[in-house]
C-alpha cells in the first residue's frame, strides 16, 4: 500500500511558496513506489500531478489530485557509451540538477557547466528543455526514462522523441499526462569543448586562458547569483516569460521604431526578442502589486513576497503581457507550467 498523505501542504514543494494543499500526496523514491501509488485503489479516478522540486510550476489552487513527489535517487556513469566516445551519465529524476552538475565536474566529466545553478530536479529538466549561457539540455541528452501511463510500461525516449524546442518538449504537450519521468541519461561529448559563445559568459571569464569546466561553472554561478533571486529566499520561477520569436519583417519594423530593441537571429532566419527588455521598456521592472511583483534586477522574473496566491501572480502576468502586446504588438507567453 502506498504511503499516502491527505490534504498535504505543498508550500515547500512549489517555488512561489503558495499555500495550497494536495488531496493525496506520496513521496516516490523508486519506480516500484510509482507503480504502487498509481495502482492504489484510493488514487483511482483522481488526476495525477507530478512535482519534482516544484521549481517551474505555478500551483493555482488546492489540487484535488494525487500528487507524486518524485524523489528517485541515482547516479551512474557509463564510460565511452557513445560510438563517438561520449560519456553517458544516468541520474534519477529526483536528484537536484545543480548537484548533478557539480558531481559530474568533480568526477572529471565536463559538459554541463553552462547549466549550473538552474533550480529544480533532474526529472524536471527535460520538460522545459532547460537552457542557459549558450547550451540547452537537448544538446546533452541521450534519453529519458519514463512510465507511460497509456501502456502502463516503462519506456526510453530518445532526444527526437522528446520533441525538444526552445523551453519546450513533448512533456509539455501530448506527453504531459502520459509520461512520468523517472531517470535521465545525459551524453557528455568527448573531446570536451567549452561553450563560451555567450557574450556575458565570455566577459566574465576574460583574462583566463583556457578555463576548465569548474571555472566556467563558477562564472555561470556568479552571473546567475547577481541577476536572479534565490528561490530559497524569495519565491520565483526564474524567467516567467519565454522570449518571443517573430519573423524578420516584424523584427525589422520593431527595430526601426525602437533602435535599442534586443533581438537574436535564429538559425531559421526568425528572431528571438528579449522579453526582459520589452517588459522593462513598459516600466514594470521593480514594480510591486501587493504580495507579488517584478524583480528589480531582471524584468523577466516575477516574484512572490509571501501571503499571496497564484491569482495575484497571474493577474500581474496578464497585465504585463497585455501591456507588452499593446505597445509592441508581440504576445509574450508564460514559461512555467501552470497547474
Ligand atoms: N534586459 C533588459 N531589462 C531587463 C532584463 C533584460 O533590458 O530587465 C535585456 C538585457 O540587457 C539583455 C537582454 O534583455 O540585453 C537579455 O537579457 P538576459 O541576458 O538577462 O537574458 P534573458 O533573455 O533574460 C535568458 C533565459 C534565462 C537564461 C539566460 C542566459 C529565457 C526566457 N530566459 O534570459 O533562463 O539564464 O538567457 O542564457 O530564455 C529561465 O529560463 O528561467 C532563465 C533564467
Amino acid at each position: 500500500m502506498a504511503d499516502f498523505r491527505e490534504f498535504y501542504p505543498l508550500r515547500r514543494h512549489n517555488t512561489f511558496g503558495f499555500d495550497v494543499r494536495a488531496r493525496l500526496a506520496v513521496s516516490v523514491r523508486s519506480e516500484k513506489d510509482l507503480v504502487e501509488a498509481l495502482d492504489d485503489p484510493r488514487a483511482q479516478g483522481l488526476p495525477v500531478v507530478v512535482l519534482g522540486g516544484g521549481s517551474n510550476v505555478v500551483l493555482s489552487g488546492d489540487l484535488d489530485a494525487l500528487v507524486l513527489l518524485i524523489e528517485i535517487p541515482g547516479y551512474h556513469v557509463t564510460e565511452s557509451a557513445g560510438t563517438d566516445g561520449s560519456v553517458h551519465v544516468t541520474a534519477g529524476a529526483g536528484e537536484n540538477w545543480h548537484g548533478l552538475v557539480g558531481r559530474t565536474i568533480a568526477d572529471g566529466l565536463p559538459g554541463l557547466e553552462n547549466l549550473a545553478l538552474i533550480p529544480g530536479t533532474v526529472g524536471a529538466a527535460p520538460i522545459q528543455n532547460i537552457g542557459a549561457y549558450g547550451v540547452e539540455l537537448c544538446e546533452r541528452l541521450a534519453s529519458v526514462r519514463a512510465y507511460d501511463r497509456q501502456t502502463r510500461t516503462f519506456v526510453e525516449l530518445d532526444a527526437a522523441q522528446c520533441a525538444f524546442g526552445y523551453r519546450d518538449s513533448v512533456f509539455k504537450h501530448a506527453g504531459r499526462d502520459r509520461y512520468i519521468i523517472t531517470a535521465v541519461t545525459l551524453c557528455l561529448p568527448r573531446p570536451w569543448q567549452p561553450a563560451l559563445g555567450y557574450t556575458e559568459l565570455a566577459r566574465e571569464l576574460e583574462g583566463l586562458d583556457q578555463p576548465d569546466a569548474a571555472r566556467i561553472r563558477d562564472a555561470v554561478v556568479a552571473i546567475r547569483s547577481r541577476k536572479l533571486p534565490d528561490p530559497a529566499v524569495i519565491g520565483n520561477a526564474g524567467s516567467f516569460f519565454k522570449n518571443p520569436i517573430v519573423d524578420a519583417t516584424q523584427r525589422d519594423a520593431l527595430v526601426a521604431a525602437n533602435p535599442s530593441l534586443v533581438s537574436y537571429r535564429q538559425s531559421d532566419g526568425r528572431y528571438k526578442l528579449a522579453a526582459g527588455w520589452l517588459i522593462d521598456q513598459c516600466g514594470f521592472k521593480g514594480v510591486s502589486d501587493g504580495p507579488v511583483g517584478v524583480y528589480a534586477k531582471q524584468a523577466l522574473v516575477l516574484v512572490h513576497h509571501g501571503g499571496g496566491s497564484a491569482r495575484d501572480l497571474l493577474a500581474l502576468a496578464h497585465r504585463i503581457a497585455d501591456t507588452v502586446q499593446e505597445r509592441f504588438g508581440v504576445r509574450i507567453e508564460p514559461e512555467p507550467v501552470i497547474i
Side-chain angles (χ1 to χ4, degrees):
M1 285 280 270
D3 185 15
F4 287 149
R5 280 162 282 181
E6 289 183 62
F7 303 105
Y8 183 75
L10 295 173
R11 195 160 63 82
R12 288 185 300 109
H13 297 274
N14 74 98
T15 188
F16 283 105
F18 293 136
D19 234 335
V20 300
R21 282 173 187 265
R23 160 100 164 264
L24 285 183
V26 64
S27 141
V28 172
R29 293 195 45 83
S30 66
E31 291 187 344
K32 183 170 160 284
D33 284 357
L34 174 63
V35 175
E36 211 168 84
L38 291 171
D39 287 349
D40 194 292
R42 292 168 292 171
Q44 303 317 304
L46 281 183
V48 172
V49 171
V50 180
L51 282 183
S55 61
N56 204 46
V57 295
V58 178
L59 298 182
S60 59
D62 287 341
L63 301 176
D64 193 15
L66 166 66
V67 174
L68 303 170
L69 303 168
I70 304 291
E71 293 163 12
I72 302 173
Y75 178 81
H76 178 77
V77 178
T78 317
E79 295 284 343
S80 305
T83 44
D84 52 357
S86 61
V87 177
H88 283 194
V89 177
T90 300
E95 294 285 345
N96 175 268
W97 173 262
H98 180 62
L100 173 69
V101 173
R103 186 159 178 189
T104 52
I105 293 171
D107 285 351
L109 304 171
L112 302 179
E113 53 283 350
N114 295 54
L115 303 175
L117 210 62
I118 296 181
T121 56
V122 166
I127 297 175
Q128 55 152 334
N129 184 21
I130 56 171
Y133 305 101
V135 174
E136 279 189 336
L137 180 76
C138 61
E139 300 164 52
R140 301 281 185 270
L141 187 127
S143 62
V144 169
R145 181 170 167 85
Y147 182 70
D148 181 345
R149 294 179 61 206
Q150 227 164 62
T151 59
R152 297 162 60 93
T153 55
F154 285 91
V155 293
E156 295 278 338
L157 304 177
D158 64 21
Q161 290 170 304
C162 293
F164 289 120
Y166 163 61
R167 293 294 187 276
D168 201 30
S169 74
V170 70
F171 308 109
K172 274 192 164 181
H173 303 282
R176 180 168 165 175
D177 292 320
R178 179 167 179 183
Y179 299 115
I180 299 173
I181 298 172
T182 57
V184 174
T185 297
L186 299 155
C187 172
L188 307 179
R190 292 292 170 267
W192 172 70
Q193 288 205 319
L196 301 174
Y198 201 91
T199 317
E200 209 179 349
L201 181 58
R203 209 180 298 136
E204 188 77 18
L205 289 161
E206 231 163 43
L208 281 181
D209 196 25
Q210 299 186 322
D212 63 8
R215 279 293 176 84
I216 297 170
R217 183 260 327 267
D218 294 346
V220 168
V221 167
I223 299 171
R224 290 188 73 100
S225 307
R226 275 203 299 270
K227 54 198 251 186
L228 295 169
D230 178 355
V233 178
I234 179 163
N236 79 92
S239 303
F240 192 88
F241 294 99
K242 291 193 271 195
N243 289 328
I245 296 172
V246 300
D247 63 30
T249 315
Q250 188 175 6
R251 179 261 181 190
D252 291 347
L254 281 166
V255 171
N258 311 274
S260 64
L261 180 108
V262 182
S263 65
Y264 314 93
R265 193 172 191 277
Q266 305 297 290
S267 53
D268 62 4
R270 294 188 299 163
Y271 284 84
K272 200 186 257 182
L273 309 182
W277 185 91
L278 299 171
I279 298 166
D280 197 354
Q281 293 295 305
C282 293
F284 281 106
K285 196 164 173 171
V287 161
S288 268
D289 188 358
V292 296
V294 180
Y295 192 53
K297 294 186 210 165
Q298 165 62 289
L300 203 44
V301 176
L302 299 192
V303 295
H304 173 223
H305 303 288
S309 68
R311 188 188 295 256
D312 303 317
L313 187 79
L314 297 176
L316 175 62
H318 276 130
R319 193 151 66 84
I320 292 172
D322 289 348
T323 310
V324 166
Q325 172 137 38
E326 265 164 41
R327 169 129 179 226
F328 297 106
V330 176
R331 190 74 196 169
I332 51 172
E333 303 288 345
E335 194 260 330
V337 177
I338 297 163
I339 301 175

